[in-house]
């Protein structure tokens, strides 16, 4: 059961004067990635082919992700009536394919897959939290508030299944750390976000280049993060790794994460 629908959004309160045109560009890209949630469910159902309980949860989860995409796309179209969401989304899915036919997780194990899912949900929860706080536009604020709450529930959902699979598979500390590091690194190294940004903002680029499109995306996305968003996200990631975030090691690692992100957003802002 979804916790909200598009009809719960107060669309009539949309205030064009409060739209931040730079944030609009990242919202358009986020709409594409979220709308693609159905493909993720297909992949997850293949990986967890003999676990009907998880499969049902993954399908319900994907419906919420698709709704995130539809809500963001509708808002972006209000803000920019020229925005061709369907056309951009078609280009995105033609150019970016998930490993739908995989029968094993690309993370090496089911626990690894669930750790990676937890990381993504932590990231999206803090991302929409930061966008929601960063915008003055009331409708986008409300959409982000709803989405951030969903993403947090998604994290809890995947974490509950992770505990089950962790007990079965017993992945070692370094295996878990490698999955977390790999998934965080992917945010900078794979095509999903840069290509979504490119497809969503065709006027920005003459052709697709992962590096420049990725930087253009990150420069806009990072500026809304406040240290408290990073602290919270880093603490949740440590929990997924099995490290107490307020222990000695946890405190150091949270500080390192905040410092790294601050440094990177300064670099991007200067670039
Ligand atoms: Fe989402
Ligand atoms: Fe989510």
């Amino acid at each position: 059961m979804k916790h909200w629908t598009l009809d719960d959004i107060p669309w009539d309160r949309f205030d064009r004067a409060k739209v931040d045109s730079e944030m609009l560009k990242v919202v358009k890209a986020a709409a594409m990635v979220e709308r693609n949630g159905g493909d993720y469910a297909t992949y997850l159902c293949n990986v967890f082919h003999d676990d009907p309980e998880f499969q049902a949860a993954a399908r319900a989860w994907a419906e919420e992700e698709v709704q995130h995409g539809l809500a963001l796309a509708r808002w972006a179209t209000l803000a920019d009536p020229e925005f061709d969401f369907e056309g951009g989304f078609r280009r995105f899915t033609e150019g970016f394919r998930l490993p739908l036919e995989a029968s094993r997780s690309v993370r090496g194990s089911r626990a690894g897959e669930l750790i990676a899912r937890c990381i993504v949900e932590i990231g999206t929860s803090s991302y929409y939290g930061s966008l929601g706080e960063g915008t003055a536009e009331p409708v986008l604020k409300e959409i982000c508030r709803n989405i951030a709450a969903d993403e947090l529930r998604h994290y809890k959902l995947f974490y509950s299944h992770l505990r089950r699979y962790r007990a079965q598979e017993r992945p070692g500390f370094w295996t878990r750390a490698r999955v977390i590091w790999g998934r965080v690194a992917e945010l900078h190294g794979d095509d999903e976000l840069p290509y979504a940004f490119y497809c969503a903002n065709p006027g920005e680029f003459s052709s697709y280049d992962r590096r420049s499109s990725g930087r253009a995306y990150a420069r806009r996305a990072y500026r809304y993060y406040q240290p408290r968003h990073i602290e919270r996200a880093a603490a949740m990631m440590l929990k997924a790794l099995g490290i107490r975030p307020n222990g000695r090691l946890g405190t150091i690692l949270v500080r390192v994460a905040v410092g790294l992100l601050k440094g990177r957003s300064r670099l991007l802002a200067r670039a």
Side-chain angles (χ1 to χ4, degrees), residues 30 33-35 61-62 64-69 72 117 120-121 124-125 128 147-148 150-151 154:
V33 175
E34 297 275 353
R35 174 67 185 79
W61 158 80
E64 297 193 344
E65 299 295 6
V66 170
Q67 177 168 280
H68 297 170
L72 294 168
R117 290 311 325 160
V120 173
E121 303 296 347
T124 50
S125 169
Y128 290 109
I147 297 182
D150 276 351
E151 310 293 22
H154 294 164

Side-chain angles (χ1 to χ4, degrees), residues 82-172:
E82 308 262 282
F83 177 44
D84 174 18
F85 175 68
E86 290 304 329
F89 183 61
R90 214 175 313 117
R91 280 194 300 280
F92 175 59
T93 50
E94 280 163 8
F96 178 77
R97 301 289 299 163
L98 289 161
L100 294 181
E101 54 302 311
S103 59
R104 274 179 61 82
S105 168
V106 295
R107 315 283 160 202
S109 71
R110 290 181 176 183
E113 182 63 46
L114 291 166
I115 291 173
R117 290 311 325 160
C118 284
I119 298 308
V120 173
E121 303 296 347
I122 292 166
T124 50
S125 169
S126 68
Y127 180 50
Y128 290 109
S130 71
L131 284 188
E133 286 175 34
T135 184
E137 202 296 307
V139 178
L140 183 60
K141 219 179 213 354
E142 184 64 13
I143 293 171
C144 288
R145 197 180 61 78
N146 280 312
I147 297 182
D150 276 351
E151 310 293 22
L152 194 59
R153 277 189 292 270
H154 294 164
Y155 162 73
K156 289 178 182 160
L157 168 80
F158 288 118
Y159 189 70
S160 70
H161 288 278
L162 169 61
R163 285 172 65 168
R164 193 157 58 87
Y165 276 98
R166 210 159 54 184
Q168 286 174 26
E169 296 177 353
R170 305 195 163 277

Side-chain angles (χ1 to χ4, degrees), residues 4-11 67 74:
W4 56 282
T5 71
L6 294 188
D7 294 335
D8 297 323
I9 304 298
W11 300 104
Q67 177 168 280
R74 186 159 159 189

